[in-house]
Amino acid sequence: MASFSNFHFIIGIILLVNIVQGTGGEIVFEEGYTVSTVIDGDKLHINPYSVFSLYGSSSDLIILDSVKSTFYTVSFSDSQVSEMELSGNGVAGYKDGDLGSAMFNKPKSFALDRKNNIYIADKTNHVIRKITKSGVTTIAGGYVQKTGKADGPAQNASFSDDFELAFDPQRCALLISDHGNRLVRQLDLKPNDCSGSSSGSGVGSTTAWSIGVIVACIIGLIIGFAIRPYVLPHTGNNIRPGQHDMEALPNQSGETSGDLLLRHQKRNC
Ligand SMILES: *[C@@H]1O[C@H](CO)[C@@H](O)[C@H](O)[C@H]1NC(C)=O
């Protein structure tokens, strides 16, 4: 019995040591980062709750003022800040249609796709909305408009009164973190919305594409050189003098025709 309570005592000490270590945990300062203010909400009369940068632009932001249920486009350059009401008219409500007259009910989360369409977790209305250049629509929850966790055709789906959205370009979907239901859900978007006309999406694939083209061209050149001795003796008589050496001849800009071919193929591919 005595050894049993000793055992408890030792466990207790270990726990205590862990707690003390936990509260005094290690902190690592990584230097080299900078913070600056780019937009002063008080000057613009915007209270930014959530913000995203437009794809393909280094100076345009979409800002959601949740208190006013309104989305703004804000452009900023070195010293100029210009603000434009994008949608929502300062009054909480539920109305689709024109950008100017549409209403949202104090949303807090939104996401942008590669086309800069905006998806809104309009959780108080229990729906997901979409803003495009041509107006505002409801894309999910429209038939239900109350809490639930039904999946299925998006207009028949229902959500809790607390959920957030993230755009997932790999799945071409919105991921929904449905806090109220403790679920991660997925709303499939239209492939067109993910095709990525703007920058961003293309970066990784462009690199892979270029590497593929270069490898293909190098293989092509190697094969070309390898079979040249077998091809040239037979066709040599038909070639104008010097032509068979064209691959190695630099042109005026110093490129060999092989380089030109590579460049040409890269451009064409
Ligand atoms: C979706 O909701 C509509 C309207 O309530 C209904 O007519 C339709 O049958 C529902 N579809 C499914 C698949 O539940």
Side-chain angles (χ1 to χ4, degrees):
M1 202 55 191
S3 67
F4 191 65
S5 47
N6 276 349
F7 176 72
H8 274 121
F9 180 72
I10 290 166
I11 293 288
I13 293 288
I14 290 171
L15 282 179
L16 193 67
V17 166
N18 276 343
I19 287 165
V20 168
Q21 277 181 347
T23 51
E26 192 184 13
I27 294 170
V28 179
F29 286 175
E30 185 177 342
E31 299 290 356
Y33 296 94
T34 309
V35 176
S36 60
T37 295
V38 292
I39 286 163
D40 181 345
D42 282 338
K43 285 192 188 143
L44 301 181
H45 307 290
I46 295 176
N47 182 354
Y49 192 91
S50 185
V51 61
F52 274 102
S53 170
L54 282 178
Y55 287 109
S57 161
S58 57
S59 60
D60 293 317
L61 304 177
I62 302 289
I63 297 181
L64 164 61
D65 182 330
S66 180
V67 177
K68 286 197 212 158
S69 301
T70 301
F71 290 85
Y72 297 87
T73 311
V74 179
S75 302
F76 65 99
S77 57
D78 290 337
S79 56
Q80 291 282 312
V81 177
S82 63
E83 147 213 18
M84 231 178 60
E85 212 167 275
L86 176 66
S87 193
N89 54 14
V91 181
Y94 184 10
K95 185 173 183 300
D96 285 330
D98 283 5
L99 291 177
S101 58
M103 291 192 278
F104 307 91
N105 200 343
K106 301 200 185 317
K108 292 193 166 141
S109 161
F110 70 101
L112 292 182
D113 69 17
R114 291 289 191 253
K115 293 263 160 64
N116 287 321
N117 297 316
I118 301 171
Y119 301 92
I120 301 134
D122 197 351
K123 56 188 191 164
T124 316
N125 289 324
H126 311 297
V127 292
I128 297 176
R129 316 273 297 277
K130 179 181 181 184
I131 302 179
T132 64
K133 287 193 190 83
S134 50
V136 180
T137 55
T138 297
I139 65 164
Y143 288 143
V144 187
Q145 291 181 37
K146 51 181 196 267
T147 55
K149 55 177 172 182
D151 286 333
Q155 297 295 2
N156 296 63
S158 55
F159 309 95
S160 74
D161 50 17
D162 191 10
F163 65 96
E164 290 181 33
L165 299 178
F167 174 63
D168 179 347
Q170 282 111 63
R171 285 188 170 76
C172 189
L174 293 177
L175 289 176
I176 305 163
S177 51
D178 192 338
H179 310 305
N181 289 319
R182 293 178 304 283
L183 298 172
V184 175
R185 302 169 71 189
Q186 174 171 333
L187 188 159
D188 296 320
L189 296 175
K190 298 173 179 166
N192 192 31
D193 294 329
C194 307
S195 57
S197 59
S198 308
S199 65
S201 74
V203 176
S205 53
T206 304
T207 308
W209 181 241
S210 306
I211 290 170
V213 166
I214 289 167
V215 168
C217 290
I218 288 171
I219 290 172
L221 285 177
I222 290 170
I223 291 173
F225 273 111
I227 65 171
R228 207 162 66 136
Y230 304 101
V231 175
L232 283 179
H234 304 292
T235 58
N237 291 338
N238 300 330
I239 298 178
R240 280 183 279 118
Q243 193 179 2
H244 62 278
D245 271 341
M246 211 171 98
E247 270 177 298
L249 282 180
N251 66 6
Q252 280 154 334
S253 61
E255 285 175 308
T256 65
S257 54
D259 290 332
L260 262 182
L261 180 73
L262 199 67
R263 195 154 59 87
H264 185 65
Q265 281 191 345
K266 271 172 82 175
R267 201 169 46 226
N268 277 357
C269 302

